Amino acid sequence: MEIDRRAFIASLGGAAAVAAMDHEAKAEALEHYMEEQLDEQVAANQGGQPEKFPTVAEIEAQIETRPFRRGTGSVFTGQRGQNVKKITPMPDQPTLKDFFELRFAPANHVLQSATRAMKTGMSEEIILACLLHDCVLSLIKPDHGWWGAQLFEPYIPEKSAFAIRYHQTLRFFPDEQAGYEYPDQYYRIFGHDYTPPQYIQDTYKMLKNHKWYMEPRLVTVNDLYAFDPNAKVSIEPFTDIIGRHFKQPKEGLGYDNSPSAHMWRTLARPDNPL
Ligand SMILES: [Fe+2]
Ligand SMILES: [Fe+2]
C-alpha cells in the first residue's frame, strides 16, 4: 500500500512533531494511518456499492484467529501479530501530557474530537471530556466508558467524568435532534445485527431522563471516526483547559494514592509480570 508521506506527516502535526516522536509512537501512528487509508480504499473500490458489514457470527468466528483478545489495551499488543517493542519509561512524576506523549500516542482520535469540540463552542468540561474520552483504550477496551471515567475521576470535574462514563452507552443510540447518527463503524466492529446488552439498554433508559444527558451526548456528537489526514492535531491548544480543570497531582500520576493510581502505574509499566 502506498503512503503519501506528506499527508501522513501533516496528519501528525508536521515534521517537527514527527521528529519529537519516538520509534514506537511513529510505528503506531503509521499503523493507524494505514488502517484508515485501507478502509477508505475498500470503500472506494466498492464503486458506490453499499459496504457489506459483517454479522455478529462472522465477527465471533474471528476470535480464534488472533493471538490476543480484542479487548486488550493497545499498550499490551504488538501490531498485526508483530512482537511488541521496548516501551519508553515514564518520568518519575508523570503528568497527563507525559502519558499523552508516551502511552496514549498518537492519540489522533481524541485530539481531533477535542479540536472539533473547541471549534463548535463546547464548554471546557466537554472539551476536556472529548480530549480524554477514549484514552483508556491503551489499557483496556471493553466498557471503556466506565474504565475511562474511573481513571480520570479523581482529577477532573464531575461533569467531564459523567460524560466520559456514559458516552460509551450513547454511542449505540441515535439522537437526530442532537445531530448524532448510529456510526457505520459500529456495524463494522460489532456486526450489523448486533444488539447492545441489557445493562447498556438500562443505562440508556437512565440517561434519557438524566439532567446531564447532554454531557455524554455532546461527546458522541464530537466523536469522530473519520480520520482526517490533513488535520494538524497536538495537545498544545488544550494546555490551558488542562491547567484549569485537570488536578495534576504533585507526586505524579500513579503515586498520589488516588483510587485510580494503580491504573496509571499499570499504564506506566505494562511489562511488569505481576
Ligand atoms: Fe469511546
Ligand atoms: Fe471516540
Side-chain angles (χ1 to χ4, degrees), residues 133-134 144 167:
H133 79 282
D134 281 340
H144 74 286
H167 88 276

Side-chain angles (χ1 to χ4, degrees), residues 136-153:
V136 85
L137 297 179
S138 294
L139 182 65
I140 190 157
K141 291 175 180 161
D143 275 320
H144 74 286
W146 276 273
W147 280 92
Q150 193 178 0
L151 177 70
F152 292 114
E153 211 152 30

Side-chain angles (χ1 to χ4, degrees), residues 109-110 113 133-134 137 144 167 171 219 223-225:
H109 169 66
V110 287
S113 297
H133 79 282
D134 281 340
L137 297 179
H144 74 286
H167 88 276
R171 292 292 277 137
V219 173
D223 204 350
L224 296 166
Y225 272 98

